[in-house]
Amino acid sequence: MCGIVGYIGPRDATPIILNGLKRLEYRGYDSAGLAVLQNSHIEVRRDAGKLARLASLVEESPVHGQVGIGHTRWATHGEPTARNAHPHLGMTGEVVVVHNGIVENFLELRDELKAEGAIFKSDTDTEVIVHLVERYLSSKIGLAEAARLAFSHLKGAHGIVVLSSREPDKIVAARIGNAGGVVVGVGEGEMFIASDLPAILEHTRQVVFLESHQMAVVTRQGLKLMTLGGKPLRYNVHSVAYDPVAAEKGEYRHFMQKEIHEQVRSLTDTIAGRVDFDNGHNICLPELNLTAELAKNIQKIFITACGTASHAGMVGKVLIEHIARIPVEVDIASEFRYRDPIVDKNSVVLAISQSGETADTLAAMEEARRKGATLWSIVNAIGSQAMRIADGYISMQSGPEIGVASTKAYTAPLVDLYMLAILLGDLRGTLDARAHRRLTADLRLVPDLVGRCLDREAAVEKVARVLVNTSHCLYLGRGINMPTAYEGALKLKEISYIHAEGYPAGEMKHGPIALIDRSMPVVVIAPRDPWYEKMISQIEQTKARGGLVIALATDGDESIAGLADHVLWVPETPWLLSPVTTVIPLQMLAYHIAALRGLDVDQPRNLAKSVTVE
Ligand code: F6R
């Protein structure tokens, strides 16, 4: 996942940038680069591979100057090669850009810029930004204004830093949406810029966090903050403690909150490079080692996992059965390992695990291996056992998840399973070209839809205040959003210690309805999916018994607004992807309830991040 570092001041920028990038190594990356203003000229050094490679490039061909920017890139558009590594220099050689995020409309912008004469030197989406800045930069329009005009064309979420040899006394930085943060570090006669605090904390503890749609013009003496509309803003300088762990939390109170907000970035990375949007929209999951022959021979898929990961698996069942028409069973790993399941060489056993080290999941995988099944995994921790022992794997691209309650490592596998279902459907011929195109095109909507859910945090917090003192809570869902009910309830119970149950809504009448009264809040997950009508009648039945209903509904749904006591709104989402958006308000709800109760959100009692014992 990409990282940014920038420096302007009296010292040599190169070692400061290299050290800063080193502190962001934990995020993962596949190429790195820096640009430094040397004698009024921009010098760029960049290459594929690790920072050691960049450091040796700099050693072979030194570059010194007092202003510079650097980047570690996790490939999205274009392979991890030197030409695609950041920083990207424009045609004049006078402007250079580093960028986190994806320019969603880059094809359109690239065509427009090419028609104006721009020559592209990389396969990246980022390069459009530097050409756009150059389009506006002139004797009348300075760097800050040119950058601001350029940013106004970009769709998607971004962190961007721009430097120009025409105005060597400044660096321009912007944050648009949630593609990670942008933070400006305030020093004495020097300033720092970074995507994440650890990159700059050895130099300063005084920082300014950019909010979405803000930009900063940073000089040696300070910064000017403004909206992307050009309106000047006042800002607060925060003092942060030099605690490397706290530093990684950045502007958030807890890791869980940070990780909830990182989902735009993690899902962008999940999709990036996996769908060839330029060419037939093919799904590309090379580490899975899935051949057409294997796909045709699969008779059954068993998804096995624990906790949150098993809820992702339940969504995967609906996706694979619906799209690829392969029967899927979901088994809790601690059950699968002992129940002597009917698994053979025509079965695939797919394990899902954030840590890749969960004892029960690994034991279930070994059991599947003994029975001759093909073994796949969807794993976050690179190099973990669940990745190593599988015949093929999908890597989650979520980055480190530190909060014990899993959030971003829940939504990433949902998208992985969606892509897997499409790939299986393609290889088994259950998807025609039109359906394939529609399903893959919908993937592009995900980061923006998730960003729109996150923007509603304040409204979710208000509902959290209503529920903060409750002792019980019931979550109801159906179909593809039944696992969302399980996951919402699990999030609440594990961090707030409130008793919460997730239930398939259709089962209510077979018992749990007896629990309903005013003291039992019921969270009803009712987006516009194929089970919508059923969920409406569920709300009615709950209201008829005096229950307090918190409905999760699609924007503009007046009928639900009229029925429920409180509504958590989500943007309209294609139903097969709806679990990705419906879970976001439930993650935020659990988070705020626990935070309001003053609990240790990131390390709830009795729980461990990685359960390596049985
Ligand atoms: C819940 C949670 C746990 C884990 C479970 C599996 O928030 O974090 O339920 O999902 O322990 O862990 P992994 O995915 O590491 O196998």
Side-chain angles (χ1 to χ4, degrees):
M1 297 170 65
C2 308
I4 290 177
V5 182
Y7 174 76
I8 181 164
R11 292 192 273 163
D12 187 359
T14 305
I16 293 174
I17 293 169
L18 282 172
N19 280 338
L21 292 176
K22 185 107 197 105
R23 307 229 175 234
L24 301 183
E25 270 200 307
Y26 71 95
R27 307 197 62 81
Y29 64 101
D30 43 39
S31 58
L34 55 77
V36 171
L37 265 177
Q38 180 169 281
N39 306 325
S40 315
H41 178 261
I42 297 174
E43 285 287 333
V44 174
R45 303 285 183 271
R46 56 184 190 170
D47 206 350
K50 294 294 168 191
L51 277 172
R53 171 72 197 128
L54 178 63
S56 59
L57 263 186
V58 169
E59 214 176 288
E60 284 157 25
S61 171
V63 46
H64 301 290
Q66 297 171 329
V67 188
I69 57 181
H71 190 264
T72 43
R73 170 176 186 253
W74 182 269
T76 57
H77 290 65
E79 295 175 346
T81 55
R83 68 195 285 273
N84 289 332
H86 299 213
H88 288 282
L89 205 53
M91 294 212 301
T92 57
E94 292 178 344
V95 183
V96 72
V97 166
V98 293
H99 165 228
N100 288 350
I102 287 190
V103 182
E104 286 167 12
N105 53 336
F106 102 99
L107 285 177
E108 201 179 306
L109 290 172
R110 192 177 59 186
D111 290 347
E112 199 178 302
L113 288 157
K114 274 186 177 170
E116 289 171 15
I119 296 166
F120 280 75
K121 292 171 287 188
S122 76
D123 312 312
T124 64
D125 54 330
T126 300
E127 201 182 337
V128 299
I129 305 176
V130 73
H131 290 297
L132 281 169
V133 177
E134 282 189 338
R135 175 202 269 178
Y136 293 110
L137 192 62
S138 66
S139 53
K140 296 210 181 78
I141 300 183
L143 179 66
E145 182 60 4
R148 195 182 70 75
L149 291 169
F151 301 155
S152 70
H153 293 273
L154 307 178
K155 289 203 177 135
H158 312 276
I160 310 169
V161 180
V162 188
L163 181 69
S164 170
S165 52
R166 281 204 192 194
E167 296 180 34
D169 57 338
K170 63 180 67 126
I171 301 178
V172 177
R175 173 175 178 182
I176 308 172
N178 274 308
V182 176
V183 57
V184 179
V186 181
E188 284 189 17
E190 58 182 357
M191 300 286 281
F192 307 83
I193 299 168
S195 53
D196 305 84
L197 272 179
I200 55 175
L201 271 193
E202 66 183 290
H203 306 292
T204 178
R205 324 252 167 103
Q206 305 298 308
V207 299
V208 178
F209 294 106
L210 266 63
E211 301 291 337
S212 178
H213 291 88
Q214 291 184 350
M215 62 182 264
V217 180
V218 183
T219 63
R220 284 177 176 77
Q221 284 71 40
L223 76 151
K224 280 192 183 139
L225 191 71
M226 63 192 81
T227 65
L228 287 184
K231 192 172 143 235
L233 293 169
R234 297 163 76 92
Y235 57 83
N236 293 326
V237 179
H238 298 264
S239 277
V240 288
Y242 187 53
D243 165 358
V245 177
E248 284 174 25
K249 275 190 224 156
E251 68 214 83
Y252 299 101
R253 267 181 76 194
H254 298 98
F255 279 110
M256 182 181 177
Q257 190 186 26
K258 176 174 187 248
E259 286 156 6
I260 290 172
H261 281 269
E262 279 176 346
Q263 288 176 105
V264 173
R265 187 157 162 183
S266 64
L267 293 170
T268 302
D269 291 348
T270 298
I271 297 161
R274 261 78 179 269
V275 189
D276 189 352
F277 287 112
D278 295 339
N279 199 358
H281 282 212
N282 288 334
I283 300 281
C284 175
L285 298 170
E287 289 90 9
L288 201 57
N289 299 319
L290 171 58
T291 60
E293 196 196 344
L294 171 59
K296 289 203 177 99
N297 288 337
I298 300 173
Q299 280 174 7
K300 196 163 189 178
I301 297 178
F302 294 80
I303 302 182
T304 189
C306 305
T308 287
S310 73
H311 301 153
M314 291 175 192
V315 175
K317 173 183 167 74
V318 180
L319 293 171
I320 295 173
E321 291 191 341
H322 181 80
I323 298 173
R325 309 303 298 157
I326 303 173
V328 180
E329 261 187 56
V330 182
D331 256 295
I332 301 292
S334 52
E335 293 296 322
F336 182 93
R337 63 185 289 192
Y338 292 122
R339 83 172 164 88
D340 193 15
I342 304 171
V343 172
D344 61 22
K345 66 176 180 16
N346 294 322
S347 315
V348 166
V349 173
L350 167 58
I352 305 176
S353 178
Q354 187 289 126
S355 62
E357 302 292 351
T358 301
D360 284 323
T361 307
L362 292 174
M365 290 178 81
E366 276 158 22
E367 175 70 1
R369 167 73 75 221
R370 257 195 305 279
K371 289 180 181 286
T374 299
L375 209 50
W376 289 344
S377 60
I378 300 180
V379 189
N380 195 32
I382 312 264
S384 58
Q385 283 212 63
M387 194 175 263
R388 291 200 309 271
I389 64 176
D391 299 310
Y393 66 88
I394 303 176
S395 148
M396 278 188 207
Q397 315 290 333
S398 299
E401 191 181 63
I402 292 159
V404 163
S406 192
T407 51
K408 59 180 180 169
Y410 175 69
T411 47
L414 297 182
V415 172
D416 289 326
L417 287 158
Y418 181 89
M419 294 188 291
L420 173 61
I422 298 174
L423 182 58
L424 287 167
D426 289 341
L427 295 172
R428 288 168 68 98
T430 56
L431 264 190
D432 60 29
R434 241 178 97 207
H436 171 97
R437 207 169 174 88
R438 185 175 42 76
L439 291 176
T440 46
D442 284 348
L443 272 171
R444 281 192 136 154
L445 308 172
V446 169
D448 178 56
L449 290 170
V450 168
R452 283 161 61 195
C453 294
L454 294 169
D455 288 344
R456 300 159 189 206
E457 185 165 10
V460 177
E461 193 185 351
K462 277 195 189 144
V463 180
R465 288 183 186 279
V466 175
L467 296 182
V468 66
N469 290 320
T470 190
S471 312
H472 305 275
C473 198
L474 199 56
Y475 286 67
L476 302 178
R478 248 183 126 146
I480 199 163
N481 277 298
M482 184 188 80
T484 311
Y486 290 166
E487 180 56 11
L490 177 62
K491 286 290 90 88
L492 186 65
K493 71 181 111 178
E494 68 183 329
I495 57 169
S496 71
Y497 317 142
I498 293 172
H499 169 230
E501 293 293 336
Y503 231 83
E507 276 287 289
M508 276 294 282
K509 54 190 174 293
H510 300 291
I513 202 161
L515 293 168
I516 305 290
D517 63 15
R518 199 67 195 164
S519 65
M520 172 67 95
V522 184
V523 179
V524 184
I525 295 134
R528 285 204 192 276
D529 65 14
W531 295 270
Y532 172 74
E533 306 290 342
K534 310 269 176 218
M535 294 309 298
I536 292 276
S537 71
Q538 199 61 61
I539 297 177
E540 272 161 354
Q541 285 174 36
T542 309
K543 286 303 300 174
R545 283 157 186 88
L548 177 82
V549 172
I550 294 97
L552 193 147
T554 307
D555 285 346
D557 188 334
E558 295 298 327
S559 346
I560 289 197
L563 280 173
D565 297 280
H566 304 277
V567 185
L568 300 168
W569 295 108
V570 287
E572 176 116 44
T573 307
W575 74 268
L576 287 164
L577 287 164
S578 62
V580 182
T581 49
T582 50
V583 78
I584 308 279
L586 302 185
Q587 294 172 342
M588 295 196 289
L589 183 67
Y591 168 75
H592 280 292
I593 292 174
L596 287 167
R597 287 163 79 106
L599 296 169
D600 187 350
V601 174
D602 287 328
Q603 283 173 330
R605 68 185 182 206
N606 308 338
L607 291 176
K609 185 66 188 157
S610 179
V611 186
T612 52
V613 290
E614 190 178 351

